[in-house]
Amino acid sequence: MPSESRYPPLNIPDTDIWGLLFEREDREYPDDKVIYMDPYTSRSYSYAQVKSTAVDFGKGLKALWDWQKGDVLVLYTPNCIDTPAVTWGCHWAGGILSPANPGYTADELVFQLKDSGARAVVTQLPFIQTAKEAASRVGIPENRIIIIGDQRDPTGVVKHFTSIRNISGTARYRRTKLKPEDDLAFLVYSSGTTGHPKGVMLTHRNIVANILQIKAGEGGNLSWNDGLTGEGDKLLAFLPFFHIYGLTCLIHQSLYSGLQLIVMPKFNLEDFCRFIQDHKITFSYVVPPVVLLLSKHPVVSKYDLSSIRMMNSGAAPLTKELVAALHDRLKVPIKQGYGLSETSPTTHTQPWKDWNKTIGAVGTLLPSQTAKYMSPEGKEVPAGERGELWIKGPNVFKGYLNNTEMTAQALTHDGYFKTGDVGYQDKDGNFYITDRVKELIKYKGFQVPPAELEGILAAHPHVNDVAVIGVYNKEQATEVPRAYVVPAGGLGKGEKEAQEIVDWMDQKVAGHKKLRGGVRFVEEIPKSVSGKILRRVLKLKAQEEAEGMKAKL
């Protein structure tokens, strides 16, 4: 029998995200509560300011571009405290937000703009040239590029979002009515082993459900008012808002629960520690490579991190050794969670009280979901046995955009999502993830599709054949992409030629897709009779190489 959540079922309101966040009657905290703060500039948004800015931006979209229900706005920017207002302004106007990695090259951005059918792009000034090039290539006019953040276009050609929301004559516009179960809120792009990323269609109901599921999972441990200082919990946000982990767990959860979010545009270890100390941060969502830095890096000792009550790690497996190392050094407890883009994302989290009792588990199933582990033959396996995790619940996505075949492969007729992750559950209902069915490489929580990298590398004049796998890098506590290359002209190639391919590739892809595992030259790529790359053979080869290196040391 499929596992049921041990939590009581949720009463999920029949409302869109706007209704949940801005029209609820049970909000406990005041309008002037500061929710989003930029620690570098001290610029901030209170709850009331986010709401009014979002309404004005939504009205501006309708007035300027006759924004219609289902129109897509692509957000190509690092974290910014303007992001929430722009996101919900787009929703107010009936639009769908599609976040894009600011590390994307023009080619990568072009794919997302085209696939999503985007009508406009939001970015920041340092990324304007790439945004302009990509927009131009898909036919989005320059006057449909908007800038957020503290900088403005010195030429005045590209408008700042404040001018979009300050258009006169918008009083007549009203919020677009949406059907929470049918209408999309987000199109997030999740990389697939076939190369191009897939557009994951998340409805308003998906996100509303997951906000409430996360709230239940944190078990009342995070509050807008601690009863002492009156400030309540403060979260430090460096996880990218263009990733579903940051989008739901940070942006949405903070506003729903009245938690203050200190927003970093990207991770910097010294700043991370300084902000915890200066702002008395109490909670942070992290990823394993950050846990590794906090447990080992000397700079951490310069700062007082004692205000942290708990950390939550996700996006990649967290080892027992890392949990112990962090706690031994800083006395900071850390629990683990699990989720995917297709599940909005959070499906499991460890209860606070269990963080040191079930180390290695991703936690228990959040409310209103069922899950089961399945054998390759499609039969459910009992507790303790390994299988592929299938999940069903109101947070499970609608399907992949423009890809009915992949949708049919991922979703069963009775609504289960096949996660592609392998694991097991124990007799107490704690879930464990041990491996992946999918071939995706996970670099610091980012998904890297091997086939996409292989497609690019195959165009290199000195590459005859190529396969890419993920190899574990202990120093960084993450997988890194490595290419096995059959070189043109035969073997005899050395470190110089390998580095040349790495450098060439660096210019072609976003930062998280770089060949940090290097290039290895081989005589042939192992393949099945049907021509499928046998990555497991290469993984064994990589393992043997690593063991051989150890033996030499």
Side-chain angles (χ1 to χ4, degrees):
M1 287 289 291
S3 291
E4 301 281 344
S5 172
R6 61 171 71 162
Y7 293 88
L10 289 171
N11 178 23
I12 301 167
D14 185 27
T15 182
D16 59 7
I17 294 169
W18 184 276
L20 180 78
L21 297 178
F22 298 113
E23 295 177 353
R24 54 191 286 219
E25 294 177 359
D26 60 345
R27 177 168 54 90
E28 297 174 334
Y29 64 92
D31 284 2
D32 62 357
K33 166 83 182 182
V34 172
I35 305 293
Y36 306 106
M37 174 176 280
D38 182 331
Y40 296 96
T41 65
S42 295
R43 193 160 70 88
S44 66
Y45 279 90
S46 67
Y47 170 85
Q49 288 169 332
V50 173
K51 183 177 181 180
S52 63
T53 304
V55 170
D56 290 344
F57 182 70
K59 287 180 175 180
L61 287 177
K62 289 193 171 199
L64 254 189
W65 301 327
D66 187 28
W67 203 257
Q68 300 294 316
K69 186 165 110 168
D71 284 347
V72 175
L73 181 68
V74 163
L75 200 57
Y76 175 65
T77 168
N79 290 0
C80 176
I81 62 167
D82 297 330
T83 296
V86 167
T87 298
W88 296 318
C90 173
H91 288 161
W92 186 93
I96 302 165
L97 194 94
S98 186
N101 184 341
Y104 273 173
T105 61
D107 285 349
E108 291 166 319
L109 184 56
V110 161
F111 173 79
Q112 186 163 334
L113 292 175
K114 194 181 289 183
D115 191 66
S116 66
R119 286 195 68 200
V121 183
V122 174
T123 189
Q124 290 195 53
L125 191 62
F127 305 87
I128 195 70
Q129 290 312 122
T130 305
K132 279 182 177 180
E133 182 189 336
S136 167
R137 283 167 56 185
V138 299
I140 295 174
E142 201 168 274
N143 65 3
R144 290 206 176 182
I145 300 173
I146 307 164
I147 290 176
I148 59 173
D150 297 302
Q151 294 175 284
R152 282 159 169 71
D153 181 6
T155 67
V157 174
V158 179
K159 286 185 168 60
H160 195 265
F161 92 108
T162 48
S163 62
I164 303 291
R165 65 188 181 91
N166 288 334
I167 296 167
S168 59
T170 58
R172 64 191 174 91
Y173 293 105
R174 296 288 176 267
R175 179 162 82 92
T176 300
K177 285 194 170 76
L178 298 170
K179 292 181 180 174
E181 203 148 345
D182 297 328
D183 291 325
L184 302 188
F186 295 102
L187 261 176
V188 297
Y189 277 75
S190 174
S191 297
T193 52
T194 52
H196 283 305
K198 304 185 296 291
V200 176
M201 298 190 288
L202 296 171
T203 66
H204 282 263
R205 180 175 169 80
N206 290 153
I207 303 297
V208 165
N210 206 233
I211 293 167
L212 300 177
Q213 287 168 325
I214 292 167
K215 176 91 171 172
E218 298 307 342
N221 288 295
L222 296 173
S223 172
W224 69 275
N225 189 336
D226 58 13
L228 298 169
T229 64
E231 289 194 310
D233 281 291
K234 294 183 179 182
L235 279 58
L236 187 52
F238 68 87
L239 293 174
F241 294 167
F242 61 81
H243 191 286
I244 191 65
Y245 188 7
L247 196 63
T248 308
C249 296
L250 295 174
I251 289 183
H252 288 80
Q253 185 193 193
S254 57
L255 194 89
Y256 183 74
S257 297
L259 313 172
Q260 189 173 114
L261 203 65
I262 307 297
V263 178
M264 297 174 69
K266 61 180 180 180
F267 182 75
N268 172 284
L269 180 62
E270 186 134 14
D271 286 352
F272 179 83
C273 295
R274 179 164 59 90
F275 295 147
I276 289 175
Q277 176 182 281
D278 294 353
H279 291 274
K280 299 288 186 286
I281 300 297
T282 61
F283 187 92
S284 186
Y285 285 97
V286 294
V287 288
V290 169
V291 181
L292 182 71
L293 283 172
L294 291 170
S295 62
K296 290 191 172 181
H297 201 287
V299 79
V300 177
S301 300
K302 289 167 52 180
Y303 297 93
D304 176 7
L305 308 187
S306 61
S307 60
I308 289 276
R309 300 198 292 119
M310 179 65 76
M311 286 185 175
N312 185 95
S313 182
L318 185 68
T319 64
K320 292 181 182 182
E321 292 77 12
L322 274 181
V323 172
L326 180 75
H327 195 258
D328 287 349
R329 184 182 190 188
L330 299 176
K331 300 295 176 275
V332 170
I334 183 163
K335 65 189 185 75
Q336 192 169 190
Y338 171 78
L340 310 99
S341 297
E342 291 88 344
T343 54
S344 304
T346 313
T347 59
H348 297 72
T349 191
Q350 283 179 293
W352 284 46
K353 62 182 174 55
D354 292 346
W355 76 270
N356 61 348
K357 295 176 190 165
T358 55
I359 294 174
V362 296
T364 56
L365 195 62
L366 291 180
S368 300
Q369 298 177 103
T370 55
K372 53 189 177 181
Y373 283 103
M374 304 293 284
S375 72
E377 297 74 39
K379 293 189 175 167
E380 188 175 354
V381 300
E385 285 190 27
R386 293 176 199 273
E388 181 187 0
L389 179 61
W390 291 14
I391 297 173
K392 181 179 182 178
N395 50 313
V396 170
F397 76 133
K398 194 173 183 177
Y400 297 114
L401 182 71
N402 307 325
N403 202 330
T404 51
E405 187 183 337
M406 288 297 294
T407 301
Q409 288 174 18
L411 292 170
T412 66
H413 68 279
D414 56 348
Y416 278 94
F417 168 58
K418 303 174 185 179
T419 67
D421 286 324
V422 172
Y424 65 95
Q425 62 175 312
D426 65 19
K427 58 182 176 49
D428 299 317
N430 297 296
F431 283 68
Y432 294 78
I433 300 296
T434 57
D435 206 348
R436 286 193 300 281
V437 175
K438 298 173 183 175
E439 297 168 337
L440 287 174
I441 301 161
K442 273 202 168 180
Y443 172 71
K444 294 188 176 179
F446 292 106
Q447 293 179 335
V448 181
E452 182 185 352
L453 304 194
E454 288 156 2
I456 297 168
L457 284 162
H460 191 284
H462 299 150
V463 173
N464 269 359
D465 199 1
V466 61
V468 174
I469 62 167
V471 293
Y472 190 76
N473 182 301
K474 196 173 179 183
E475 285 70 40
Q476 295 186 63
T478 186
E479 280 187 316
V480 292
R482 173 183 292 170
Y484 284 85
V485 167
V486 178
L491 285 173
K493 302 291 187 291
E495 287 182 16
K496 179 170 173 266
E497 290 88 349
Q499 190 59 45
E500 184 270 321
I501 292 173
V502 170
D503 293 343
W504 178 86
M505 191 66 169
D506 283 354
Q507 306 304 310
K508 304 281 183 187
V509 293
H512 64 283
K513 297 178 187 173
K514 291 181 179 180
L515 296 174
R516 287 177 168 82
V519 166
R520 301 286 188 274
F521 292 115
V522 291
E523 285 185 24
E524 64 174 1
I525 302 298
K527 293 179 182 175
S528 68
V529 180
S530 62
K532 186 178 172 64
I533 294 169
L534 298 174
R535 296 184 204 280
R536 66 179 183 277
V537 176
L538 289 173
K539 283 190 174 280
L540 280 172
K541 184 178 176 66
Q543 201 175 330
E544 287 164 8
E545 287 171 4
E547 285 166 1
M549 288 290 290
K550 268 189 208 168
K552 284 180 187 175
L553 299 171

